[in-house]
């Protein structure tokens, strides 16, 4: 694990692709369709929000944060007329397990078990105070299958960090669209992420204007030194919020986890068509 990167961030880079397989790979989409969740976004919003129950759009808009409210409202609560939360939970686990069993077919099973057990132990030690998505996922029953367990443990860890990141964005004074505009000014492509989050051009440009007024961006849309420093601060706050669970692990144990997880993560990431989480190319 690189010393220049916080361990909590380096490990997130590795377990994020494991979590993402159920939303982007064909096995996940097939499982959603079988459950009656037709269309990529119906499946996504239903299965990711399912641990919260049959919720309406407002709490999901709040929890997911960077999605335009209008995009969430097109899916919720209408999706619950096609499949309830229990069916959605079963579908996402089925799709994830099918994807992982295919991708990891040639990975030593003991290595997968080692990674799964370590992530489960870490997930069981998480403090989910103030972290709604993490708490809801952590409360789900432990699956029986190995790949289901791996996916669920990675998902709890991922949502825990994600909840902390949203809190850091709020503390930095950013709304959902502004957070994306800042990120695109630094290292992401607007043409990729804007359609995936549902913001209109008018909403995007208005967010950019607000950021110019507050000194985060220049008139040309590039990030200012102030914006860069504040963005680094919120990323550091995200790392700090995710770090507590790893503090008691010796560095050698963290390195072993990262080493065992890296080939698993690489196989998952190699099949993902998109990188909406903004993972670095060399992660």
């Amino acid at each position: 694990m690189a010393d220049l990167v916080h361990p909590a961030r380096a490990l997130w880079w590795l377990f994020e692709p494991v979590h993402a397989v159920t939303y982007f790979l064909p096995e996940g989409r097939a499982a959603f369709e079988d459950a009656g969740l037709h269309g990529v976004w119906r499946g996504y919003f239903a299965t990711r929000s399912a641990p919260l129950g049959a919720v309406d759009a407002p709490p999901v808009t709040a929890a997911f944060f960077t999605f335009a409210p209008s995009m969430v409202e097109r899916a919720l609560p209408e999706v619950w007329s096609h499949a309830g939360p229990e069916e959605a939970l079963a579908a996402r686990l089925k799709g994830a397990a099918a994807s992982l069993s295919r991708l990891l077919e040639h990975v030593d099973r003991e290595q997968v078990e080692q990674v799964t057990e370590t992530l489960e132990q870490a997930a069981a030690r998480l403090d989910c105070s103030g972290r709604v998505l993490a708490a809801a996922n952590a409360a789900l029953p432990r699956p029986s299958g190995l790949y289901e367990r791996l996916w669920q443990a990675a998902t709890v860890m991922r949502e825990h960090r994600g909840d902390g990141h949203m809190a850091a964005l709020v503390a930095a004074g950013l709304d959902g669209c502004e957070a994306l505009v800042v990120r695109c000014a630094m290292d992401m492509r607007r043409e990729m992420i804007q359609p995936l989050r549902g913001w209109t051009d008018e909403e995007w440009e208005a967010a950019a204007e607000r950021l110019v007024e507050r000194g985060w961006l220049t008139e040309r849309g590039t990030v200012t030194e102030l914006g860069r420093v504040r963005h680094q601060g919120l990323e550091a706050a995200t790392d700090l919020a995710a770090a507590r669970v790893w503090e008691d692990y010796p560095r050698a144990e963290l390195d072993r986890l990262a080493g065992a997880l890296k080939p698993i993560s690489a196989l998952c990431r190699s099949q993902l068509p998109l990188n909406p989480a903004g993972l670095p190319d060399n992660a």
Side-chain angles (χ1 to χ4, degrees), residues 11 13 24 56 68 72 89 99 131 137 176 245 271:
L11 289 169
W13 289 347
F24 294 101
D56 206 339
V72 183
L89 289 171
S99 297
R131 296 172 171 89
N137 279 279
V245 70
Q271 297 293 303

Side-chain angles (χ1 to χ4, degrees), residues 81-185:
S81 66
H82 303 282
E86 290 187 4
E87 289 82 7
L89 289 171
R92 73 178 195 170
L93 208 54
K94 177 183 176 182
S99 297
L100 292 172
S101 64
R102 172 175 62 84
L103 294 173
L104 307 183
E105 179 182 4
H106 300 298
V107 177
D108 183 75
R109 188 173 178 86
E110 289 187 4
Q111 181 176 339
V112 179
E113 290 174 344
Q114 172 195 343
V115 167
T116 300
E117 289 172 4
T118 304
L119 289 179
E120 284 182 327
Q121 291 166 5
R125 298 174 63 231
L126 290 174
D127 178 4
C128 293
S129 301
R131 296 172 171 89
V132 173
L133 285 174
N137 279 279
L140 295 174
R142 180 176 182 263
S144 57
L146 176 60
Y147 297 117
E148 289 89 344
R149 288 170 48 210
L150 171 61
W151 185 82
Q152 182 155 311
T155 295
V156 173
M157 300 301 299
R158 186 258 181 234
E159 297 291 24
H160 181 273
R161 182 182 174 88
D163 285 341
H165 185 57
M166 301 314 157
L169 292 171
V170 171
L174 297 176
D175 64 29
C177 189
E178 291 166 355
L180 295 177
V181 173
V182 170
R183 187 61 192 272
C184 287

Side-chain angles (χ1 to χ4, degrees), residues 33-79:
E33 291 284 336
D34 289 345
L37 298 168
H38 305 299
V40 172
W41 291 113
R42 283 194 183 95
Y44 175 82
F45 285 113
T47 58
R48 191 173 170 216
S49 68
L52 303 174
V55 290
D56 206 339
V60 175
T61 300
F64 290 15
F65 194 77
T66 58
F67 284 89
S70 59
M71 187 171 184
V72 183
E73 290 162 3
R74 286 197 293 272
L76 295 171
E78 187 267 343
V79 293

